[in-house]
Amino acid sequence: MSVSMRTPAAGSVDEVVAALGSWQRDDALVQLHPGDLGWAWRHGEAAVAESLRVWWDDGVIVAVGLIDGPSVLRMTVAPDRWSDDGLARRVLSDLDGGALAPRLGSVEIPTGTAVHAVLRSAGWTAGEAWTPLARDLTTTAVEPTGLQVHVVGPDEVEDFTAVHRSAWGSETFTDDVWEVMSHGAPFRNGRCLLGRNAAGRAVAGVTIWSAGDGQPGLLEPMGVHAEHRGLGHGRAICVAAAAALQELGASTAWVCTPSSLHSAVATYRSAGFIPLPERLDWVRAR
């Protein structure tokens, strides 16, 4: 095996997005998704490319990692290479050698992969806990919500970004940032949904990312305007997200949130999302 790792050039991220989309499976829901790249795209394609680490074997992408913040790598592996010990040890070598990022100290990788096992055997320890939740979309139609929900177009961008800024206490998600994100390759299968209450006020928003017909779709992110919390709008917009993914042909709607955010877990559960086994980041041995 002659596996090599490199950072893709700006302008060549589409191939990585396509590979990630083809790897999504209902029996391995919690893994790096095209939507993760789509949300990162708000900073531009060059920033996405710079944050990617891609492992290739004979011209084929076999693993992808996204550096999320200064020290966390969120990654996954091609389905036919999950048990590949040689690939896993190459990933570990790149981590130990500092080839991915000098300050990288935490990795999120699907349980059951050889990379996960190798990290454990190398002394990496459990880090932050995450709760994944999923809603099956293959059996019955998703029920309507109490909100007026629209797919965000040019006329509603200002309201959508305002909801996000209020929900997350951040001023960085501007209309211009949304415009950049909406032109990214992952957004071809993505939608932003805006929920309005009976008075027509924008109260909640969510972005959904499809990986294609018959494959799992992701919610990332979701938020409720700070002035309209505690009224069930979070549940309603999550149900609307599931319905929209169902219309796009997704088999499952899933989301992953820090386990410490109990209110977020409760909101997703109220919208019919079922908790899956907790996922742990793995922290470099000191």
Side-chain angles (χ1 to χ4, degrees), residues 110-124:
T111 306
T113 61
V115 175
H116 184 275
V118 164
L119 290 175
R120 292 188 65 181
S121 66
W124 288 58

Side-chain angles (χ1 to χ4, degrees), residues 193-238:
L193 306 179
L194 181 66
R196 297 184 181 276
N197 63 13
R201 294 175 181 166
V203 297
V206 66
T207 303
I208 59 170
W209 307 93
S210 170
D213 192 44
Q215 293 177 283
L218 174 69
L219 282 67
E220 172 64 24
M222 182 278 292
V224 176
H225 195 286
E227 296 178 1
H228 300 279
R229 290 175 179 158
L231 300 172
H233 299 323
R235 174 193 177 276
I237 200 68
C238 288

Side-chain angles (χ1 to χ4, degrees), residues 13-14 17 33-39 41 48 181-191 208-210:
V13 180
D14 282 24
V17 172
H33 190 278
D36 293 307
L37 273 60
W39 178 238
W41 212 291
V48 175
M181 181 186 75
S182 70
H183 284 87
F187 202 77
R188 296 168 193 158
N189 293 315
R191 303 284 189 278
I208 59 170
W209 307 93
S210 170

Side-chain angles (χ1 to χ4, degrees), residues 18-139:
L20 278 178
S22 71
W23 297 351
Q24 304 305 308
R25 308 181 301 177
D26 283 316
D27 61 350
L29 284 178
V30 190
Q31 61 172 315
L32 192 67
H33 190 278
D36 293 307
L37 273 60
W39 178 238
W41 212 291
R42 68 194 187 279
H43 301 303
E45 183 177 8
V48 175
E50 185 177 348
S51 66
L52 283 171
R53 301 296 183 267
V54 182
W55 286 264
W56 299 75
D57 187 7
D58 195 23
V60 177
I61 298 175
V62 294
V64 176
L66 177 71
I67 297 177
D68 183 11
S71 62
V72 180
L73 179 76
R74 308 217 174 274
M75 69 169 298
T76 193
V77 180
D80 61 341
R81 305 296 283 267
W82 271 43
S83 60
D84 189 326
D85 187 68
L87 172 59
R89 295 193 178 280
R90 173 56 197 258
V91 171
L92 178 63
S93 175
D94 289 330
L95 285 165
D96 287 343
L100 281 77
R103 296 164 54 194
L104 194 64
S106 181
V107 175
E108 191 275 323
I109 178 73
T111 306
T113 61
V115 175
H116 184 275
V118 164
L119 290 175
R120 292 188 65 181
S121 66
W124 288 58
T125 58
E128 185 176 10
W130 295 76
T131 297
L133 304 99
R135 177 165 175 162
D136 179 24
L137 303 178
T138 62
T139 53

